[in-house]
Amino acid sequence: MALINLHVNGKNMSVDTETDTPLIYVLRNDFDFKGAKLGCALEQCGACMVLVDGEPTNSCVRAAAEFEGRQIETVESFGNPEKMSDIQQIFAEENVAQCGYCTAGIVCSVTSLFRKTKTPSDEQIKDTLNRHLCRCGSHSRILDAVYRIREVAIR
Amino acid sequence: MSKHSSLSNSPKISEWLDFSQEGELTLHTGKVDIGQRITTALALIAAEELSIPFDQISVRKTKTDVDPNEGYTAGSFSMQHSGYAIKKATATARKIFTQKAAEKLNISEDKLEVSDGQIRAKGTNQSLTYWELMSDVNLEIDVDEDVQTKNTSDYSIQNKKHIAKGMAEIMTGKYQFLQDLKFENMLHARIVRPPHYHCELEKLDPDVISRLEKENIFVIRDGSFLAVAAKQEYKAVKAARRISLAAKWKVEKQLSEENIYSQLTANRKDRFFVEKGCVPSTTREIPELTTMNEDEHITVNAVYQKPYHMHASIGPSAGCAHFDGQSLQVWTHNQGVYPLRAAITEAFDMSKENVSVQFIPGAGVYGHNGADDAAFDAVIIARHIPKYSILLKWTRDDENSWEPYGSAMHCEIQASINKKGKISSWSHETYADTFLTRPITGKKPATRMLSSHYLENALPWPVAEPMMVPHGGIHRNMEMLYEMPEPRLVKNRVYDLPLRTSALRTLGAYGNVFANESMINELAERANIDPFTFRLNHLKDERAINVLKKLQQVMEKDTPEDEQMGKGIGFARYKNSAAYCAIGVSLTVTEAAEVLLHHAYIVCDAGEIVDLEGVRAQLEGGFIQAASWTLYEQVLYERDGIVSRDWDTYPIITFDNIPKMHTYLIENPGKPYLGAGEGAAGPAAAAISNALKDATGLSLRKMPFNSDTIMEAALEG
Ligand code: FES
Ligand code: FES
């Protein structure tokens, strides 16, 4: 056991846990940010995606201790049901989610993409989304929503 | 008594509608929201009938004894069952409330109008809300099925774009999944499974157990069932790994590695002639297969095959249970809380009154996946460690190697056309394992639960009887809508196959429609008639004709002409009783023999549309999932167990091969709802195989159509 200090969603938080505990368990169980989901625990599906220093990062394998001193953002930090971020709002309006298990991770990746550029190329969009799997087949709606976000961003 | 299954079980208005919260209407339903947006559709129906704002309506998550028993949420029946019931219940309620309002306001009913939950005397400011009238009306009366429902021309809510219930919560990480439950005194649990089905626990190193127990980890052993539970989730994860190294298993039998399609045709089986209406007959003899004379007819023989597929949910199954020594509470994301309760009460000899089961959403399940089993596992653990809430999560590995798969299928078709280009004979023999090993109330449901076979008092593995209902499992959609002489349709329910199987979205329809519609194309080609005209020449059903014509029109208009591009279509009416769906695909094949999807056209007639976006999402999602099955998926296994244990060994479709979707719904307000959740899958597979034929000249008949099979087919010529 060791005290691990993390910076999550703009706050300093700490937890006493075994040093090898992957980040996702700390975020979900100790800090109650349940947006990131366990899908494979193998860095294959993207359900556990969060942002670390602005970069989409799978949280299911690497230990929380590795992220000390980094800025961690989870989907909860971008908005809430009453006041969603522009990206979340467009995703909701386009009804992109079916079961929604993959969605929070995708929101993280797309948020990061649009912070870097207002006009991502189709290639960049697909590269970003390719780190995510979805089983319900919501892909086409997510792609359409992302294209719409790009249009809105240009205007 | 109502002939409608949901209304005959739950006839009273009060069993569906609850006005007890001021300004809110709560709907009760036995159907659960597994991402198909049934809650949104039900709320829209109620909003429309009662003229109450959509936002003021909520839908309960089904719980035993509180909500109606509507069996399983399956077979694209939710709208036909719950949708219908809610529509009639709300229309009856509206009538009763308006009568009461007229009486109270002392005015005749035709002088009243309803909007925003208010019943108003036209042209005055006199009004009463539903909630003000609540205490004066009696909702403990039967739903009137002959009640006048709202005129479709007065619709103002249904069939428009709405943001689905729960969408904002999903976007912001606030939607509660079962995996997110948190209780005081909760333990996280993991299972330790044997290498594969036919194994028994031989030895478990006691030192490892005592070491774990010293670290406050619970080790649960019951026969060959092994699990661990701990306060910290990651501790449970690690403990499960340690236990799995400390366990020694006796392998009783290996998995048969013989070619699955040989097993499908060679193994012991029950055979049935499938009669008109797509019903297996117990009396009709199966006629010999004869061939039409060569001078007058062209005959084509083909074998179509699909491998085992998984549900492969993105979130592994989970279950939660709490046992206080007498009563048991269970939370599940399965598709039927009542049958699950029946399995639990039977397995543990408990009374119904002592077991309550509630639905909480998980990741999409797409049929009978691991959800029921995970709930059952949580119950076993909870009964071993009473007074704790047990949140059990399966791992990716558990999910992929233990869920009941969708059976492999082998379809043999022989069909002929005459000189006029009309189908003159059709024989289709389909072979598959069962598609139904769900727990069923009253039919030894406990034996259907995975872990029941590994407990100290192990139950025998069940052998599912052949489904004999129209469009049941294996024979679903064998019969087509095309006009032809009586076809020779034969269902083969095959036994003694290597893998555990059950209901996967569409059951046999996906394989049968793929085979049927591929053969239709082969015949059209021999007849030298384009695939649209050939199909239309054999159809009398107006709605079928309309969807195909619409597809033809949009494909001609939208698809860019491109030498390399292959185009194909597929059509079916799901179960010949749900939605009509015609699908077109355009694709290319790369140098490396990989298929790239460009456009997908979906034309669907689903009767009256309640939730426009929901139906579109179901169709598009159904297409994408089926495209994934068709192009990439097969469960790999060897004698020592399942090989496809992660996303590398069981690849599914990714964002870089999603076609541009063009979805068209043919509107039919006032017509009965036709379930649309499963209609796209079969036609999608056929459209892809037909487009591949167009692009490459190869008839691909064995899935998946990945680069290996395409190369193989090319070499064979
Ligand atoms: S759960 Fe982390 S990538 Fe799948
Ligand atoms: S919406 Fe269900 S997995 Fe993506």
Side-chain angles (χ1 to χ4, degrees), chain B residues 162-396:
Chain B
H162 293 275
I163 296 182
K165 295 263 175 219
M167 199 56 73
E169 287 74 18
I170 287 175
M171 293 312 145
T172 50
K174 299 279 160 57
Y175 191 73
Q176 190 180 50
F177 289 88
L178 189 136
Q179 285 86 346
D180 305 333
L181 288 178
K182 191 171 190 173
F183 295 100
E184 286 292 307
N185 225 16
M186 185 171 92
L187 298 177
H188 291 274
R190 293 291 188 274
I191 306 283
V192 179
R193 296 266 182 224
H196 61 81
Y197 309 127
H198 317 291
C199 300
E200 214 175 82
L201 185 59
E202 199 170 32
K203 235 177 65 201
L204 186 61
D205 185 346
D207 293 345
V208 177
I209 299 185
S210 55
R211 252 177 264 144
L212 287 170
E213 282 171 350
K214 270 194 213 114
E215 295 171 38
N216 295 322
I217 290 160
F218 293 88
V219 178
I220 299 95
R221 177 178 177 179
D222 186 337
S224 293
F225 175 89
L226 274 182
V228 293
K231 270 241 161 295
Q232 266 113 19
E233 189 169 9
Y234 194 56
K235 265 198 165 179
V237 172
K238 286 197 291 183
R241 278 186 217 141
R242 283 159 70 185
I243 289 279
S244 106
L245 295 173
K248 207 166 168 294
W249 302 91
K250 188 166 100 214
V251 176
E252 279 150 3
K253 193 174 103 191
Q254 293 176 316
L255 301 182
S256 164
E257 285 184 303
E258 198 193 320
N259 179 294
I260 184 62
Y261 303 110
S262 320
Q263 294 192 55
L264 278 168
T265 46
N267 282 15
R268 178 170 71 93
K269 56 183 78 71
D270 286 326
R271 301 183 78 214
F272 302 95
F273 184 79
V274 178
E275 290 188 298
K276 197 167 169 48
C278 214
V279 210
S281 163
T282 46
T283 52
R284 282 271 299 266
E285 259 190 48
I286 299 169
E288 283 293 314
L289 177 59
T290 52
T291 311
M292 306 294 280
N293 95 42
E294 268 178 51
D295 300 334
E296 299 291 320
H297 305 265
I298 302 173
T299 298
V300 185
N301 277 286
V303 173
Y304 302 92
Q305 295 166 328
K306 71 158 278 264
Y308 288 105
H309 286 152
M310 326 186 162
H311 302 76
S313 179
I314 288 297
S317 298
C320 188
H322 182 275
F323 183 58
D324 66 8
Q326 191 193 358
S327 65
L328 180 68
Q329 269 180 289
V330 184
W331 294 266
T332 178
H333 59 96
N334 85 338
Q335 293 182 334
V337 292
Y338 286 95
L340 177 61
R341 179 171 71 175
I344 293 168
T345 52
E346 184 188 52
F348 304 107
D349 201 13
M350 296 180 74
S351 77
K352 254 187 0 192
E353 291 66 38
N354 281 331
V355 183
S356 86
V357 182
Q358 178 161 26
F359 173 79
I360 303 274
V365 285
Y366 327 109
H368 177 200
N369 76 338
D372 300 74
D373 295 323
F376 192 80
D377 291 342
V379 170
I380 300 173
I381 301 167
R383 287 176 52 91
H384 275 264
I385 340 176
K387 308 241 159 33
Y388 286 99
S389 296
I390 303 297
L391 178 58
L392 166 74
K393 291 183 194 151
W394 280 16
T395 61
R396 173 56 44 205

Side-chain angles (χ1 to χ4, degrees), chain A residues 96-103 106 133-139 142, chain B residues 34-35 313-315 363-364 366:
Chain A
V96 302
Q98 293 198 30
C99 78
Y101 201 84
C102 67
T103 317
I106 294 176
L133 295 176
C134 170
R135 187 52 163 170
C136 297
S138 69
H139 310 69
I142 289 173
Chain B
I34 43 178
S313 179
I314 288 297
Y366 327 109

Side-chain angles (χ1 to χ4, degrees), chain B residues 268-547:
Chain B
R268 178 170 71 93
K269 56 183 78 71
D270 286 326
R271 301 183 78 214
F272 302 95
F273 184 79
V274 178
E275 290 188 298
K276 197 167 169 48
C278 214
V279 210
S281 163
T282 46
T283 52
R284 282 271 299 266
E285 259 190 48
I286 299 169
E288 283 293 314
L289 177 59
T290 52
T291 311
M292 306 294 280
N293 95 42
E294 268 178 51
D295 300 334
E296 299 291 320
H297 305 265
I298 302 173
T299 298
V300 185
N301 277 286
V303 173
Y304 302 92
Q305 295 166 328
K306 71 158 278 264
Y308 288 105
H309 286 152
M310 326 186 162
H311 302 76
S313 179
I314 288 297
S317 298
C320 188
H322 182 275
F323 183 58
D324 66 8
Q326 191 193 358
S327 65
L328 180 68
Q329 269 180 289
V330 184
W331 294 266
T332 178
H333 59 96
N334 85 338
Q335 293 182 334
V337 292
Y338 286 95
L340 177 61
R341 179 171 71 175
I344 293 168
T345 52
E346 184 188 52
F348 304 107
D349 201 13
M350 296 180 74
S351 77
K352 254 187 0 192
E353 291 66 38
N354 281 331
V355 183
S356 86
V357 182
Q358 178 161 26
F359 173 79
I360 303 274
V365 285
Y366 327 109
H368 177 200
N369 76 338
D372 300 74
D373 295 323
F376 192 80
D377 291 342
V379 170
I380 300 173
I381 301 167
R383 287 176 52 91
H384 275 264
I385 340 176
K387 308 241 159 33
Y388 286 99
S389 296
I390 303 297
L391 178 58
L392 166 74
K393 291 183 194 151
W394 280 16
T395 61
R396 173 56 44 205
D397 189 284
D398 293 335
E399 185 79 16
N400 284 26
S401 43
W402 290 92
E403 66 146 283
Y405 308 115
S407 178
M409 289 178 81
H410 173 101
C411 301
E412 290 178 1
I413 303 189
Q414 174 178 304
S416 309
I417 43 169
N418 60 23
K419 293 239 156 94
K420 293 195 198 111
K422 284 291 190 76
I423 298 169
S424 49
S425 80
W426 184 279
S427 163
H428 179 172
E429 290 224 21
T430 190
Y431 300 81
D433 202 336
T434 180
F435 283 98
L436 188 74
T437 59
R438 287 181 190 275
I440 304 211
T441 312
K443 291 196 169 172
K444 298 211 171 69
T447 64
R448 302 292 177 86
M449 312 311 295
L450 173 64
S451 294
S452 75
H453 315 305
Y454 298 93
L455 297 176
E456 184 71 50
N457 295 317
L459 299 175
W461 286 88
V463 179
E465 283 164 21
M467 267 199 266
M468 302 304 276
V469 295
H471 292 273
I474 296 168
H475 57 286
R476 182 167 292 179
N477 275 92
M478 277 191 96
E479 184 180 75
M480 300 180 288
L481 294 189
Y482 304 119
E483 305 283 324
M484 62 175 76
E486 187 186 41
R488 178 181 176 276
L489 306 179
V490 182
K491 162 183 177 143
N492 291 274
R493 171 11 181 152
V494 186
Y495 297 92
D496 311 322
L497 292 159
L499 305 186
R500 178 184 187 221
T501 62
S502 193
L504 171 60
R505 199 173 184 181
T506 81
L507 314 191
Y510 167 77
N512 289 327
V513 172
F514 155 61
N516 285 342
E517 285 287 294
S518 299
M519 176 54 91
I520 290 286
N521 254 52
E522 305 210 23
L523 295 177
E525 198 181 311
R526 302 300 164 101
N528 223 344
I529 300 175
D530 79 83
F532 281 106
T533 313
F534 186 82
R535 285 175 171 81
L536 292 169
N537 285 346
H538 289 88
L539 283 171
K540 284 214 185 107
D541 183 323
E542 279 301 318
R543 294 171 80 172
I545 293 171
N546 285 342
V547 292

Side-chain angles (χ1 to χ4, degrees), chain A residues 24 37-49 58-61, chain B residues 647:
Chain A
I24 189 163
K37 302 281 176 247
L38 263 182
C40 61
L42 297 163
E43 298 194 331
Q44 291 178 337
C45 75
C48 62
M49 201 69 86
N58 289 317
S59 61
C60 60
V61 171
Chain B
W647 296 116

